[in-house]
Amino acid sequence: MTDGGWAATRPETALLMLAAHGGPDEDDALSVRVRHEPGYVLITVAGEVDFASAAGLRERLFTLAKAGRPLVADLDRVSFIDAAGLGVLVGAARQAAAHGAGLRVVCARRRVRRLFGLTHLDQAVPVAESLAEVQVAAGADAEAV
């Protein structure tokens, strides 16, 4: 594929499917949906975010970060995330900041949010329980400027 597996370069919604272990097994597959909302880009991640799938996720997040729009990564459907996945999110947050935006994570799963707290990555990547919480925080950030 010449487009790196992406359906289109900037559709309203794009989907990327990555097989973590080389097969289409649903338990291993990572899917990434991108939706351009007014004021931010929503990236919904599902499946396993591990060493095998991190490179594809990194490529997509870094590309989105370069556009300079705020990013929101929804991890509610992530069944597993390792250090490589966490590193991708931190790197994307730094990339977004370098382009005048930011990255926030949304996840209702307590164990995923806990990983950010235990590793202190929540200081680099703000984590919220819901999209509504992120939208309120983003509104407060805009008013403070």
Side-chain angles (χ1 to χ4, degrees), residues 45-72:
V45 183
E48 295 185 0
V49 184
D50 59 13
F51 181 77
S53 62
L57 180 61
R58 175 183 295 113
E59 179 183 333
R60 186 60 175 152
L61 290 177
F62 278 40
T63 298
L64 291 167
K66 289 177 184 176
R69 292 191 71 213
L71 304 176
V72 176

Side-chain angles (χ1 to χ4, degrees), residues 18-30:
L18 298 169
H21 300 291
D25 187 357
E26 287 183 28
D27 292 336
D28 295 337
L30 173 70

Side-chain angles (χ1 to χ4, degrees), residues 6-100:
W6 292 100
T9 56
R10 193 188 176 279
E12 282 306 305
T13 302
L15 174 65
L16 170 68
M17 295 290 291
L18 298 169
H21 300 291
D25 187 357
E26 287 183 28
D27 292 336
D28 295 337
L30 173 70
S31 69
V32 180
R33 288 189 183 274
V34 176
R35 197 169 71 216
H36 296 269
E37 297 286 343
Y40 64 95
V41 177
L42 179 63
I43 303 110
T44 303
V45 183
E48 295 185 0
V49 184
D50 59 13
F51 181 77
S53 62
L57 180 61
R58 175 183 295 113
E59 179 183 333
R60 186 60 175 152
L61 290 177
F62 278 40
T63 298
L64 291 167
K66 289 177 184 176
R69 292 191 71 213
L71 304 176
V72 176
D74 180 349
L75 304 184
D76 275 345
R77 294 184 178 178
V78 169
S79 58
F80 174 82
I81 188 165
D82 67 6
L86 293 172
V88 165
L89 293 168
V90 171
R94 289 182 181 148
Q95 186 79 352
H99 289 88

